[in-house]
């Protein structure tokens, strides 16, 4: 018990905030259970505490935990919360932290090859959390370690902006749009169908889920350096190889996507989304044939079947006369 309280505690607001930061690497369900447990224990301790300053500190910790629960609860009491469910249940990428330089280096390693927009968002979020923890940290060694991690993160953000890495982001195409297009003729990459299946069924079209989902078999990652990289990493690595320079045409003379373009689309990316949507909008729907085609088919069949048409009619008349 004492060991657990030394890691997750409720003696004051600072300890509560530190506990929440430590819990970030854990499973969401475990986070919820631990926070609820801390609130319960804090309330029991509160009834036995007489010192006013300690009471105030514990109450501040309880309030911090309750605010976190309200913001992170997966079951909302309001009827209108359903549209947000998919966003609330997106799992956090594990292993990110800022407690020291080593944790920061590990964080940057985990973020490698992920979407640049997400990299920047994650680092900014960690910096914000670190800044909130700093005022409550009294241990000089811990203060020094957190500041070293923050320096590393700030250097990363400076380099990110200098190199304009945000422009390298490759936004995801909606799964519905991808399914409307044919597969490339030389479609030999077995990973693409598995990727699209995960995107559609497991992620339910929300690309954020791909950050914590990996192929079913580690062998299917081919020669990737990681033992089991997640789909967002695999996608970006594949696209880096497939993505052509500006001299390569992505549409043919008829306005159809080229083979290279179709390969990119299989990984949920197109450099020319608007033009791709325009192409799809011009395609006839497969559900019903056009009216002209229907009329043509009806007319030709009636001509073939009608006994009184053309030569058949004259032959019929001749046969009747000969019988008489």
């Amino acid at each position: 018990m004492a060991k657990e309280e030394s890691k997750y505690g409720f003696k004051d607001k600072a300890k509560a905030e530190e506990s929440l930061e430590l819990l970030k690497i854990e499973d969401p369900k475990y986070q919820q259970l631990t926070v609820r447990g801390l609130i319960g224990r804090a309330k029991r301790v509160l009834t036995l505490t007489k010192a006013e300053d300690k009471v105030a500190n514990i109450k501040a910790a309880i309030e911090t935990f309750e605010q976190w629960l309200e913001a992170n609860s997966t079951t909302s009491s309001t009827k209108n919360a359903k549209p947000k469910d998919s966003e609330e249940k997106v799992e956090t990428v594990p292993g990110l932290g800022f407690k020291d330089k080593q944790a920061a280096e590990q964080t940057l390693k985990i973020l490698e090859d992920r979407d640049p927009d997400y990299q920047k968002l994650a680092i900014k979020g960690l910096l914000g959390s670190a800044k909130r923890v700093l005022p409550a940290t009294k241990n000089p060694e811990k203060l020094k370690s957190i500041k070293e991690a923050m320096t590393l993160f700030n250097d990363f953000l400076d380099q990110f902006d200098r190199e304009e890495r945000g422009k390298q982001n490759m936004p995801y195409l909606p799964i519905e749009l991808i399914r409307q297009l044919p597969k490339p003729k030389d479609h030999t990459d077995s990973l693409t169908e598995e990727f699209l299946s995960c995107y559609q069924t497991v992620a339910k079209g929300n690309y954020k889920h791909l950050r914590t989902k990996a192929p079913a078999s580690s062998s299917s990652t081919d020669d990737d350096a990681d033992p089991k990289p997640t789909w967002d990493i695999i996608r970006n690595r594949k696209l880096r190889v497939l993505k052509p320079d500006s001299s390569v045409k992505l549409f043919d003379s008829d306005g159809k996507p080229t083979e290279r373009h179709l390969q990119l689309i299989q990984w949920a990316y197109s450099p020319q989304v608007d033009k791709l949507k325009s192409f799809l909008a011009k395609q006839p729907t497969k559900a019903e044939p056009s009216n002209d085609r229907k009329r043509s088919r009806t007319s030709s069949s009636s001509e073939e079947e009608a006994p009184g048409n053309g030569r058949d009619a004259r032959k019929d008349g001749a046969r009747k006369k000969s019988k008489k």
Side-chain angles (χ1 to χ4, degrees):
M1 185 77 130
K3 282 184 183 178
E4 187 180 359
E5 285 186 359
S6 67
K7 185 177 182 182
Y8 307 126
F10 50 81
K11 69 175 183 178
D12 54 26
K13 184 178 179 180
K15 186 63 179 177
E17 288 176 341
E18 183 184 342
S19 299
L20 292 174
E21 286 302 323
L22 290 169
L23 280 167
K24 278 187 175 180
I25 63 170
E26 304 292 348
D27 179 83
K29 286 184 180 178
Y30 179 80
Q31 293 178 27
Q32 294 274 337
L33 289 170
T34 303
V35 171
R36 290 182 189 280
L38 287 166
I39 290 173
R41 293 211 306 275
K43 286 180 177 178
R44 287 195 295 274
V45 170
L46 202 58
T47 59
L48 304 170
T49 306
K50 305 299 179 185
E52 290 184 6
D53 58 336
K54 288 185 178 179
V55 168
N57 286 337
I58 294 172
K59 283 183 176 178
I62 291 172
E63 186 181 357
T64 301
F65 287 138
E66 286 177 340
Q67 286 174 353
W68 183 91
L69 275 179
E70 188 178 349
N72 293 275
S73 178
T74 54
T75 55
S76 176
S77 58
T78 59
K79 291 181 181 178
N80 297 324
K82 285 186 178 179
K84 293 183 180 178
D85 280 355
S86 60
E87 290 296 321
E88 290 171 353
K89 292 177 183 178
V90 172
E91 294 178 29
T92 306
V93 172
L96 308 183
F98 58 82
K99 68 175 183 178
D100 53 28
K101 186 178 179 181
Q102 185 179 353
E105 287 171 344
Q106 183 187 356
T107 294
L108 295 177
K109 179 68 178 172
I110 291 168
L111 291 174
E112 273 181 17
D113 289 331
R114 296 185 186 272
D115 303 325
D117 281 357
Y118 175 66
Q119 291 181 28
K120 188 171 185 178
L121 183 69
I123 295 300
K124 279 193 165 185
L126 288 166
L127 274 171
S129 298
K131 285 174 184 175
R132 288 193 295 274
V133 168
L134 272 182
T137 306
K138 308 301 179 188
N139 187 308
E141 286 299 316
K142 286 185 179 179
L143 271 172
K144 182 185 175 186
S145 295
I146 293 171
K147 285 179 179 177
E148 285 177 350
M150 291 174 71
T151 299
L152 210 59
F153 288 152
N154 280 316
D155 289 345
F156 170 85
L157 289 177
D158 289 343
Q159 189 175 0
F160 187 99
D161 290 337
R162 272 199 318 274
E163 297 176 359
E164 297 183 321
R165 293 184 193 172
K167 292 181 179 179
Q168 298 169 16
N169 203 63
M170 295 179 280
Y172 288 73
L173 291 173
I175 191 72
E176 298 82 9
L177 188 148
I178 300 167
R179 293 299 188 190
Q180 293 177 55
L181 291 155
K183 293 178 182 177
K185 290 174 184 176
D186 56 346
H187 181 69
T188 55
D189 191 344
S190 61
L191 269 183
T192 54
E193 199 57 40
E194 192 180 349
F195 164 76
L196 289 173
S197 176
C198 181
Y199 187 20
Q200 183 171 18
T201 57
V202 180
K204 300 187 189 305
N206 185 346
Y207 68 90
K208 294 178 184 178
H209 289 289
L210 298 174
R211 297 170 190 158
T212 53
K213 308 299 177 190
S217 167
S218 58
S219 61
S220 47
T221 58
D222 299 327
D223 57 350
D224 287 327
D226 306 62
K228 201 153 187 173
T230 48
W231 278 120
D232 60 329
I233 294 173
I234 294 170
R235 171 188 182 261
N236 288 338
R237 288 175 180 172
K238 292 287 182 182
L239 286 174
R240 231 176 9 239
V241 175
L242 287 170
K243 193 176 178 182
D245 59 39
S246 56
S247 65
V248 177
K249 290 184 178 180
L250 294 174
F251 293 89
D252 63 19
S253 55
D254 296 324
K256 296 177 183 177
T258 60
E259 283 296 299
R260 175 63 69 88
H261 197 173
L262 290 173
Q263 288 175 1
L264 296 173
I265 290 164
Q266 290 292 292
W267 288 100
Y269 175 66
S270 170
Q272 297 184 26
V273 182
D274 290 339
K275 195 171 178 181
L276 189 63
K277 287 180 178 177
S278 298
F279 164 75
L280 283 171
K282 292 173 186 175
Q283 303 310 299
T285 55
K286 294 180 181 179
E288 292 182 18
S290 66
N291 289 334
D292 290 342
R293 212 175 293 167
K294 279 183 181 177
R295 280 197 295 270
S296 170
R297 208 178 292 134
T298 307
S299 144
S300 62
S301 63
S302 61
E303 284 173 6
E304 288 170 8
E305 293 170 11
N309 264 328
R311 268 182 223 161
D312 291 338
R314 286 194 292 274
K315 284 180 182 177
D316 266 359
R319 277 197 294 270
K320 284 176 185 176
K321 284 180 183 178
S322 64
K323 282 181 182 178
K324 286 178 183 178

